[in-house]
């Protein structure tokens, strides 16, 4: 699938090194493609606020604003 | 109509063509800008950039120049050095890139002439580019190591570029007797993979504890502190008590001279250390081709516009990965991968005549202290005109975590490896 040169795309490409290209993971880190935008957004907020326990995601989520999270959630929810 | 740039024009045409089912129009449209982008170096930076360029604009003609048919990663090479993994498990070819439509040429770039936009290869070929990406990794400042030259790395390996060097260090560790000394000597900043030497110390300790438990590891450091230091030292005490001694630069760690034939190190403080195996990691600079082509500064690294990675010295030349100066980002495979994507977006935006959206960059360095004990340092970055690339979030693994957390991070380190190698080479 073609990738977009959009703000949401630029933010979301950052996740691929761990979650796989387009969010499709080949290994131990969970895939995040095709999940609903609500699910991804909720997870990111919970990681950032420390409401959901994690090894590394709390530290990553701390680098993104609410607006960033919405763009990212939309992006991955649209990846098949 | 002529106010549209080519891509927008294609989009428009593509849309109507699909509706009208005019296949011929569509295929002529997929030519897009058809600009030629030449990428030098098929490591983490170059391979990622090639893939994402084509994902962004399938009409581009991408040529990737890389001497090796198989790229061996430095990440997880410390697991190969200590015999836990086989070299094949960290080697990646270029068939996926070729299937995607990237032209892969196995040759070495000898020179770049940015004034005429030409690249000369060691096989005699000369290629023209519209945009050039360099991701040549590192080279070593051998003249900064007294008593040693590049050739001596056969006897005193650095293993800081994976491949033959990795096997030399592994074989030396395997054949040494128990009860001896292994010296690891990390360089001054900046260098490739800040926590890498300390992961190596850990995994060598893991090997020695099983096979040569009376052996000691002496770390002669050029620095007074290092990445994830508290976590590493805590782990060494816990996993390998009494085995690792770390000497800081100002307390006798800095090496003045190497005696290769007797495997002896003379320190600035006047001490002499004879060792059975020495892993000296020399100070570094950008990969040779970036320097000889005139893209580096007096320190040996390449200054770039940190928003696009375009060289500050030459237009239409982009430098990513270890070779470039990227603000607060460390020199890591993860950073090179992140930069490869931002650079790809910058290149297509420039070719399309559009503004690139604001970039976001990321890094995480996982380190293994044993195959079941992982730690990490993570960061998210943005760009600002005055500050360059700066950090907006992140952090290191907690010091008070339990064994199951460390085990989980070790598993995720492997998961990261699987994902990033797929993202770059798959
Ligand atoms: C022991 C060790 C462990 C590491 N662990 C990690 C880790 O866990 N996580 C992490 O993120 N990073 C890690 N790194 C760092 C990582 O390996 C580098 O930062 C990364 O490889 C940089 O990517 P690059 O594209 O800049 O260079 P490279 O990956 O080195 O790629 C450069 C490529 O360019 C080619 N090349 C050079 N000159 C030419 C030329 N003239 N013509 C054509 N091709 C050329 C080379 O053959 C090479 O394939 C580790 C490093 C070491 C040494």
């Amino acid at each position: 699938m073609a990738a977009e040169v959009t703000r949401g795309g630029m933010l979301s490409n950052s996740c691929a090194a761990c979650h796989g290209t387009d969010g499709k993971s080949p290994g131990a880190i969970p895939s995040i493609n095709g999940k609903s935008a609500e699910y991804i957004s909720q997870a990111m907020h919970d990681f950032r606020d420390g409401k959901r326990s994690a090894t590394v995601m709390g530290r990553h989520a701390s680098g993104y604003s609410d607006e960033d999270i919405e763009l990212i959630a939309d992006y991955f929810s649209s990846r098949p | 109509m002529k106010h549209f740039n080519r891509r927008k024009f294609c989009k428009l045409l593509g849309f109507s063509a699909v509706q009208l089912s005019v296949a011929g129009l569509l295929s002529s449209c997929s030519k897009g800008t058809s600009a030629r982008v030449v990428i030098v170096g098929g490591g983490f930076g170059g391979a990622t950039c090639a893939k994402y360029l084509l994902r962004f604009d399938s009409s581009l003609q991408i040529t990737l120049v890389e001497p090796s048919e198989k790229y061996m990663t430095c990440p997880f090479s410390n697991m190969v050095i200590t015999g836990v993994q086989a070299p094949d498990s960290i080697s990646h070819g270029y068939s996926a890139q070729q299937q995607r439509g990237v032209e892969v040429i196995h040759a070495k770039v000898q020179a770049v002439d940015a004034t005429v936009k030409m690249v000369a290869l060691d096989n005699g070929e000369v290629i023209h580019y519209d945009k050039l990406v360099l991701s040549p990794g590192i080279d070593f400042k051998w003249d900064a190591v007294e008593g040693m030259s590049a050739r001596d790395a056969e006897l005193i390996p650095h293993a800081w570029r994976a491949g033959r060097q990795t096997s030399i260090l592994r074989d030396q560790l395997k054949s040494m007797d128990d009860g001896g000394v292994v010296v690891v000597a990390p360089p001054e900043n900046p260098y490739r993979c800040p926590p890498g030497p300390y992961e190596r110390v850990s995994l060598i300790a893991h090997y020695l504890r099983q096979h040569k438990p009376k052996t000691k590891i002496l770390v002669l450091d050029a620095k007074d502190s290092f990445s994830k230091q508290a976590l590493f030292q805590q782990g060494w005490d816990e996993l390998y008590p009494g085995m690792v001694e770390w000497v800081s630069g100002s307390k006798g760690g800095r090496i003045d001279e190497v005696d290769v034939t007797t495997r002896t190190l003379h320190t600035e403080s006047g001490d002499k250390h004879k060792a059975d195996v020495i892993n000296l990691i020399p100070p570094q600079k950008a990969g040779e081709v970036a320097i000889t082509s005139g893209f580096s500064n007096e320190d040996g690294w390449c200054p770039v516009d940190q928003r696009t990675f375009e060289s500050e010295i030459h237009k239409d030349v982009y430098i990513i990965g270890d070779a470039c100066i990227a603000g607060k980002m460390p020199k890591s495979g993860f950073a090179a991968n992140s930069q490869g994507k931002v650079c790809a977006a910058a290149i297509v935006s420039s070719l399309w005549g559009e503004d690139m959206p604001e970039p976001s960059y990321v890094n995480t360095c996982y380190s293994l202290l044993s195959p079941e004990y992982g730690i990490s340092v993570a960061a998210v970055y943005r760009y600002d005109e005055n500050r360059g690339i700066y950090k907006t979030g992140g952090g290191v693994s907690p010091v008070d975590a339990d064994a199951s957390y460390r085990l989980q991070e070790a598993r995720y380190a492997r998961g990261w490896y699987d994902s990033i190698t797929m993202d770059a080479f798959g």
Side-chain angles (χ1 to χ4, degrees):
Chain A
M1 183 172 180
E4 303 159 14
V5 185
T6 57
R7 173 97 184 105
M10 303 284 283
L11 287 161
S12 303
N13 287 336
S14 293
C15 318
C18 287
H19 287 284
T21 309
D22 283 331
K24 280 190 264 286
S25 167
I29 297 179
S31 289
I32 54 172
N33 62 307
K35 294 196 194 295
S36 74
E38 294 71 35
Y39 182 87
I40 295 167
S41 167
Q42 188 66 49
M44 289 298 281
H45 280 100
D46 289 349
F47 285 134
R48 204 179 60 183
D49 301 341
K51 285 190 200 143
R52 179 167 168 184
S53 66
T55 53
V56 79
M57 275 313 294
R59 292 180 263 146
H60 273 285
S62 74
Y64 300 94
S65 68
D66 290 351
E67 192 203 336
D68 293 340
I69 290 174
E70 293 324 302
L71 292 170
I72 292 169
D74 280 346
Y75 186 89
F76 283 112
S77 67
S78 74
R79 301 277 112 182
Chain B
M1 217 27 141
K2 67 171 178 281
H3 297 300
F4 284 99
N5 70 31
R6 218 149 163 188
R7 173 169 157 269
K8 285 211 177 109
F9 176 69
C10 273
K11 265 191 179 164
L12 196 74
L13 194 59
F15 179 65
S16 57
V18 169
Q19 284 194 324
L20 298 169
S21 306
V22 184
L25 276 179
L26 254 185
S27 67
S28 68
C29 188
S30 73
K31 286 277 182 278
T33 77
S34 63
R36 183 150 201 195
V37 185
V38 174
I39 300 176
V40 182
F44 280 99
T48 304
C49 192
K51 173 168 171 176
Y52 275 77
L53 276 166
L54 272 191
R55 280 165 55 82
F56 292 147
D57 184 343
S58 60
S59 76
L60 294 173
Q61 297 178 58
I62 315 279
T63 302
L64 179 64
V65 188
E66 161 63 49
S68 311
E69 285 180 26
K70 283 260 173 184
Y71 172 84
M72 193 190 281
T73 64
C74 285
F76 279 75
S77 67
N78 288 329
M79 292 284 268
V80 172
I81 283 165
T82 46
V84 183
Q85 281 183 218
D88 269 357
S89 70
I90 57 164
S91 301
H92 305 270
Y94 296 94
S95 57
Q97 298 280 10
Q98 281 161 328
Q99 277 159 25
R100 187 173 292 120
V102 174
E103 180 194 16
V104 181
I105 302 179
H106 292 298
K108 199 171 163 184
V109 169
Q110 269 179 329
V112 176
D113 188 338
T115 56
V116 292
K117 295 192 159 188
M118 297 288 233
V119 167
L121 312 189
D122 66 351
N123 64 8
E125 249 182 281
V126 174
I127 331 176
H128 172 266
Y129 64 82
D130 296 302
K131 299 279 189 186
L132 178 71
V133 179
L134 292 178
S135 192
I138 53 153
D139 256 292
F140 300 105
K141 291 179 170 168
W142 284 112
D143 46 5
V145 188
E146 195 69 40
M148 205 180 152
S149 70
R151 244 174 304 120
D152 299 320
E154 297 281 309
L155 288 168
I156 298 188
H158 50 76
W160 221 242
R161 278 192 308 228
R164 185 175 148 70
Q165 279 282 308
T166 313
S167 322
I168 295 176
L169 183 54
R170 180 198 57 199
D171 294 347
Q172 287 192 359
L173 287 165
K174 223 170 162 178
S175 59
M176 76 178 282
D177 292 331
D178 191 10
V181 177
V182 176
V183 170
V184 176
E188 194 54 77
N189 291 318
Y191 62 97
R192 155 179 286 184
C193 196
Y198 313 98
E199 176 186 75
R200 177 169 291 170
V201 166
S202 311
L203 291 176
I204 291 178
H206 172 76
Y207 165 78
L208 293 174
R209 204 194 44 168
Q210 289 179 317
H211 301 282
K212 291 156 195 183
K214 295 199 288 284
T215 309
K216 297 269 183 268
I217 305 175
L218 181 63
V219 188
L220 296 176
D221 209 325
K223 303 180 294 299
D224 283 342
S225 63
F226 60 87
S227 168
K228 293 182 272 188
Q229 183 166 353
L231 287 168
F232 274 113
Q233 289 182 322
Q234 181 190 46
W236 294 341
D237 286 346
E238 206 176 304
L239 300 167
Y240 317 111
M243 194 174 240
V244 180
E245 184 189 351
W246 177 71
V247 184
S248 72
S250 60
K251 299 230 165 77
R254 266 194 294 274
I255 292 157
D256 237 9
E257 201 179 334
V258 186
D259 188 337
V260 177
T261 44
T262 63
R263 278 212 181 88
T264 306
L265 298 169
H266 300 264
T267 66
E268 207 181 75
S269 56
D271 295 317
K272 249 182 9 183
H273 301 280
K274 196 169 155 43
D276 300 85
V277 175
I278 297 178
N279 173 214
L280 185 139
I281 305 161
Q284 296 156 28
K285 58 184 179 183
E288 188 93 48
V289 66
I291 296 180
T292 53
S293 306
F295 305 136
S296 61
N297 67 13
E298 61 282 4
D299 296 325
W301 303 106
C302 302
V304 293
D305 174 344
Q306 293 175 14
R307 193 171 177 274
T308 60
F309 295 93
E310 187 164 12
S311 168
E312 282 186 356
I313 297 169
H314 276 286
K315 211 175 140 346
D316 297 324
V317 175
Y318 296 73
I319 300 150
I320 55 175
D322 291 349
C324 77
I325 301 168
K328 291 283 179 236
M329 295 183 90
K331 299 187 184 303
S332 74
F334 202 130
N337 169 269
S338 180
Q339 292 160 10
K341 296 170 193 175
V342 172
C343 177
I347 287 174
V348 294
S349 299
S350 159
L351 291 169
W352 295 339
E354 292 180 0
D355 287 331
M356 178 177 65
E358 189 198 328
S360 182
Y361 324 72
V362 65
N363 179 61
T364 301
C365 290
Y366 278 108
S367 301
L368 294 175
L369 277 73
S370 85
E372 280 89 40
Y373 190 122
I375 59 174
S376 62
V377 52
V380 177
Y381 309 86
R382 290 292 144 72
Y383 171 81
D384 175 280
E385 223 173 283
N386 300 311
R387 289 199 278 172
I389 296 174
Y390 68 97
K391 214 171 114 175
T392 63
V396 294
S397 309
V399 190
D400 56 4
D402 59 13
S404 74
Y405 188 105
R406 305 287 189 227
L407 175 62
Q408 201 54 27
E409 287 228 283
R411 291 202 180 121
Y412 286 142
R414 270 185 209 91
W416 163 78
Y417 184 86
D418 293 339
S419 290
I420 196 170
T421 51
M422 187 200 86
D423 196 37
F425 304 102

